[in-house]
Amino acid sequence: MTGDRPEIWLAVETATPTGSVAVWRDGLAVETTLRIQGAHSQSVMPAIDQALNATEVQPHEVSAFVVGSGPGSFTGVRIGASIAKGWAMAQGTPLFAYSSLLAVAAGCGPCGPVCAMFDARRGEVYAACYDLTAGEPRELLAPGAWRIDDLLAELARLHLRPAFAGEGALVYGEAISAAFEAATLLPQHMAVPRAGSLLWLRSVAPELGRVAEPQGWEPAYVRDWKVPEEKKQR
């Protein structure tokens, strides 16, 4: 509570073709999933209006805006970031941003280390590993773009045997199972980052996501972090 006013948080996640919008008002009040397939800009703002109307919230009453910061679809991440920055600057609302890969891991619950993966095409994935067994997230492998074989080799080098979640884990399930005997591939309903998970992250780790200067903030595209060799060969 802020004085006599309830905490009302709005979250938007647009890093993958399945986007979502959620509102927190003394707990998760509403969450809407959007199968947007490239039409993020046409779907997100109406979904925000619908979520606020459903919870009888006016835009000026939102006390925190929470956004998935990528990586993922370049267009989706960029649009989500633009909406978040525009809202924060226009309304003076505090902005919080969390990795969309962390949102996937958060949606898996405290099941031990989780490697969240999005398909980045051409044999590459966006990936990161987290442990949430203690409540707050602990980063084991920072978000980056990897060739799938290089990622699996790096996890072995770090002696990590995580569960695997996300669209990338579904696409490369055979490679994962070949590299890790009895690997745990979490089910499809855990494959997408959810706005509701972003709200949970805001509740348990606010300082991790706090954006001090929204105007200068940029999302995490990370496409070239782990693939410099390919660029040199071109």
Side-chain angles (χ1 to χ4, degrees), residues 9 16 18 22 38 48 61 67 78 114 117 127 135 153 156 174 204 214 230:
W9 308 337
T16 67
T18 302
I48 289 174
E61 296 179 299
V67 67
R78 177 175 56 82
V114 173
M117 302 166 58
E174 289 186 6
V204 299
E230 183 177 356

Side-chain angles (χ1 to χ4, degrees), residues 74-213:
F74 178 85
T75 300
V77 171
R78 177 175 56 82
I79 290 172
S82 296
I83 292 172
K85 291 172 65 172
W87 187 291
M89 289 186 288
Q91 299 287 342
T93 306
L95 178 61
F96 298 80
Y98 298 90
S99 169
S100 299
L101 293 164
L102 176 55
V104 170
C108 297
C111 61
V114 173
C115 181
M117 302 166 58
F118 298 151
D119 182 17
R121 309 288 177 87
R122 299 191 301 264
E124 298 172 6
V125 293
Y126 301 117
C129 292
Y130 303 93
D131 190 336
L132 289 90
T133 52
E136 291 191 21
R138 182 166 65 95
E139 186 178 86
L140 305 177
L141 180 69
W146 296 81
R147 296 185 182 91
I148 183 62
D149 292 341
D150 292 342
L151 171 66
L152 298 174
E154 179 68 4
L155 295 176
R157 187 188 71 81
L158 295 173
H159 304 290
L160 292 175
R161 294 189 61 85
F164 293 86
E167 176 196 21
L170 300 177
V171 171
Y172 295 104
E174 289 186 6
I176 293 168
S177 297
F180 291 90
E181 185 177 357
T184 300
L185 301 177
L186 295 173
Q188 188 170 8
H189 71 273
M190 294 180 174
V192 296
R194 292 178 44 230
S197 296
L198 294 175
L199 292 176
W200 178 81
L201 288 166
R202 167 61 181 82
S203 72
V204 299
E207 294 309 313
L208 178 64
R210 188 181 301 276
V211 176
E213 298 182 4

Side-chain angles (χ1 to χ4, degrees), residues 19-46:
S20 56
V21 171
V23 174
W24 173 289
R25 186 170 188 170
D26 297 326
L28 179 60
V30 65
E31 182 173 26
T32 300
T33 299
L34 309 170
R35 190 65 181 171
I36 38 190
Q37 293 285 23
H40 296 76
S41 59
Q42 299 174 14
S43 304
V44 178
M45 290 308 300

